[in-house]
Amino acid sequence: MSTYLPWIAFATTLVVFAFLQHLRKKRVNFGLRTIIAMGFGLVIGFVFQGNTQYVTPFGTIFTQLIYAIVAPLLFFSIISSIASLNSITRLKTLGFRSVFWLLLNTLIASTITLIVATSLKLGSGFTISLPTDYVAREVPTFIDTIVGFFPSNLVNHVAKNQIIPIIIFSVMVGVALVKFNTKDHEGASPMIQFFESANKLTYRVVKSIIALTPFAVVAYIANVPTRDGGKDLASFAMIIVIAYAISFFQAFVVHGTLISVFAKMNPIRFFKAIWPAQVVAFTSQSSIGTVPVVIEQVTTKLGVKDDIAGFVAGLGANVGMPACTGMWPVLLAVFSINALGIPFTTQQYLLLIVYTVVVGLGTAGVPGTATIAATAVLTAAGLPIEIIFVLSPISAIVDMARTMANVTGSATATVIVATREGAIEEPVQAAS
């Protein structure tokens, strides 16, 4: 019977897909369909645990399609947006505001985590032994990171989804186009029209991919019980609970407050709009892969102009990332301090927050952001980086909440910057 279980799981998934397609034809709300998909995914995952190898490829295909569209989406969107600004001064303002709000997310997340983790004395009473056979991931120096921001081989950057070099190259082209338009409007007009048309075409492609989200969520969720199987969860249940609590607090309470105060927007409206992006982030664990969903939701549901959405959301998938570069490194740091009985002063605790903010910018575009960020912060603080690998069994589970919080922060910054730039208008299109 076990031989047929993978095929039964596959057939069950196809039936679920058919039902989801039926709901789509009946025009059932996109967010509701995504929630329903999560439920079906959990059922399939637990019923067919260990036998979902024919189900998970659907999620992989969706991820590949998302990755395929990210680079052209950002490329055309940024160039088109800068060309429409007609002002280098406004570009400087937009860039500063974007980085400020993204890094503020990291500052808040790391501060909250430090307060919670130290108050609970996280790690006290744990008996752990550090491994001696781990292989540490290379942490790029600050100078290497800055140099890596700048484009060298655009094709290579696109292939590896190295977003920051793509953004910088797009900005360079956009700035050059603005200057060209200033001196020769007639000569620049065809190029501007080309990028505007390409941008609109790319958004059409994005919408067709986003429509597949509920189907992908089934596959993502179905694989969770198989992937983690509850292994090593009991020993570190407290860390998982705290990480999830802080991530959700950051995502909904902190960002909801920021939206209310600085964007003058009803948080309920905001969260209703970005819910699909949060679900995709939670299930796919990919901030970069969720960029198109964030852009789609804030433009169609919240009225953010395409140019601002593309610029800030693209940057937000690499800069800031409050849960990966703020919450997780501080959580590991406090855990190691208490578990190993390491003397640590108040000043050193405060420096942890400073390190996370710097790392929030310094690890942009590096694969495995949470691990790299934690390694960088622990190294800077003089703490053993081996703790990262001791807690690695639970990292994938925590990463679901981390990515959701990161993406929510990116959407928050996008809406706030758009508000400050006067780039919010009434949405004219509902998400499908």
Side-chain angles (χ1 to χ4, degrees):
M1 180 65 179
S2 60
T3 306
Y4 299 103
L5 282 178
W7 291 106
I8 296 174
F10 176 75
T12 303
T13 302
L14 293 182
V15 172
V16 171
F17 284 175
F19 178 68
L20 291 174
Q21 181 62 20
H22 172 72
L23 295 180
R24 182 185 179 189
K25 290 181 178 180
K26 292 292 184 180
R27 298 189 179 279
V28 175
N29 178 269
F30 180 80
L32 179 57
R33 282 187 281 125
T34 305
I35 296 174
I36 293 172
M38 288 182 64
F40 278 121
L42 283 172
V43 172
I44 293 173
F46 282 106
V47 172
F48 299 101
Q49 186 171 343
N51 296 280
T52 58
Q53 59 265 40
Y54 299 142
V55 177
T56 54
F58 291 109
T60 304
I61 291 171
F62 177 78
T63 301
Q64 291 182 183
L65 290 174
I66 286 289
Y67 275 126
I69 200 62
V70 168
L73 172 66
L74 294 178
F75 181 72
F76 291 119
S77 176
I78 290 173
I79 294 176
S80 177
S81 65
I82 293 176
S84 68
L85 294 177
N86 290 319
S87 171
I88 301 300
T89 302
R90 191 184 173 206
L91 174 61
K92 293 178 181 178
T93 303
L94 177 60
F96 173 79
R97 281 177 171 166
S98 300
V99 172
F100 171 80
W101 288 106
L102 290 168
L103 291 183
L104 179 64
N105 285 333
T106 301
L107 175 64
I108 295 173
S110 58
T111 302
I112 291 173
T113 304
L114 182 62
I115 293 173
V116 172
T118 53
S119 299
L120 296 175
K121 297 182 179 180
L122 182 66
S124 298
F126 276 75
T127 302
I128 59 174
S129 57
L130 299 180
T132 58
D133 59 347
Y134 70 91
V135 178
R137 299 187 65 175
E138 182 179 355
V139 180
T141 65
F142 181 76
I143 297 298
D144 288 340
T145 301
I146 296 299
V147 172
F149 284 169
F150 293 89
S152 58
N153 184 326
L154 192 62
V155 175
N156 186 53
H157 296 318
V158 171
K160 294 182 178 180
N161 261 317
Q162 296 172 335
I163 302 301
I164 294 297
I166 296 174
I167 291 177
I168 291 180
F169 181 80
S170 303
V171 169
M172 292 169 60
V173 175
V175 171
L177 191 55
V178 170
K179 293 181 177 179
F180 182 24
N181 187 41
T182 302
K183 295 182 178 181
D184 184 2
H185 177 70
E186 185 176 343
S189 291
M191 289 298 297
I192 294 176
Q193 291 175 2
F194 165 76
F195 283 112
E196 288 178 349
S197 297
N199 188 39
K200 292 178 181 178
L201 175 62
T202 306
Y203 273 98
R204 292 281 185 179
V205 177
V206 168
K207 286 184 66 64
S208 65
I209 296 175
I210 298 306
L212 301 175
T213 300
F215 305 98
V217 167
V218 174
Y220 284 135
I221 291 295
N223 190 41
V224 170
T226 297
R227 182 181 59 208
D228 300 307
K231 181 182 178 182
D232 297 323
L233 297 187
S235 300
F236 302 114
M238 179 61 72
I239 301 175
I240 297 174
V241 170
I242 293 175
Y244 265 75
I246 294 175
S247 295
F248 276 82
F249 183 86
Q250 175 76 19
F252 292 97
V253 178
V254 172
H255 292 141
T257 302
L258 292 176
I259 284 292
S260 177
V261 174
F262 297 102
K264 307 299 181 184
M265 179 181 292
N266 188 331
I268 296 177
R269 179 192 174 199
F270 171 75
F271 289 119
K272 280 184 177 179
I274 68 163
W275 172 253
Q278 291 178 310
V279 173
V280 172
F282 188 86
T283 53
S284 70
Q285 302 175 36
S286 173
S287 295
I288 291 178
T290 313
V291 169
V293 191
V294 173
I295 294 174
E296 169 73 9
Q297 293 305 116
V298 298
T299 53
T300 61
K301 288 297 188 70
L302 299 178
V304 176
K305 291 184 178 179
D306 293 349
D307 53 356
I308 302 296
F311 185 87
V312 185
L315 199 62
N318 297 269
V319 174
M321 306 185 74
C324 281
T325 62
M327 180 273 292
W328 189 242
V330 172
L331 205 62
L332 294 186
V334 175
F335 179 87
S336 64
I337 290 168
N338 290 327
L340 299 173
I342 300 173
F344 223 64
T345 65
T346 301
Q347 182 179 359
Q348 287 175 306
Y349 275 118
L350 294 177
L351 281 175
L352 281 176
I353 298 176
V354 176
Y355 296 147
T356 62
V357 174
V358 175
V359 168
L361 179 63
T363 58
V366 179
T369 301
T371 299
I372 289 294
T375 303
V377 170
L378 293 180
T379 300
L383 297 172
I385 64 173
E386 296 92 333
I387 199 70
I388 298 171
F389 305 95
V390 171
L391 300 181
S392 61
I394 67 172
S395 184
I397 297 176
V398 173
D399 195 44
M400 301 172 82
R402 285 195 309 236
T403 309
M404 183 275 298
N406 291 341
V407 168
T408 306
S410 175
T412 299
T414 301
V415 173
I416 293 176
V417 171
T419 301
R420 299 287 173 170
E421 291 286 319
I424 294 279
E425 55 190 15
E426 283 303 311
V428 295
Q429 183 180 4
S432 59

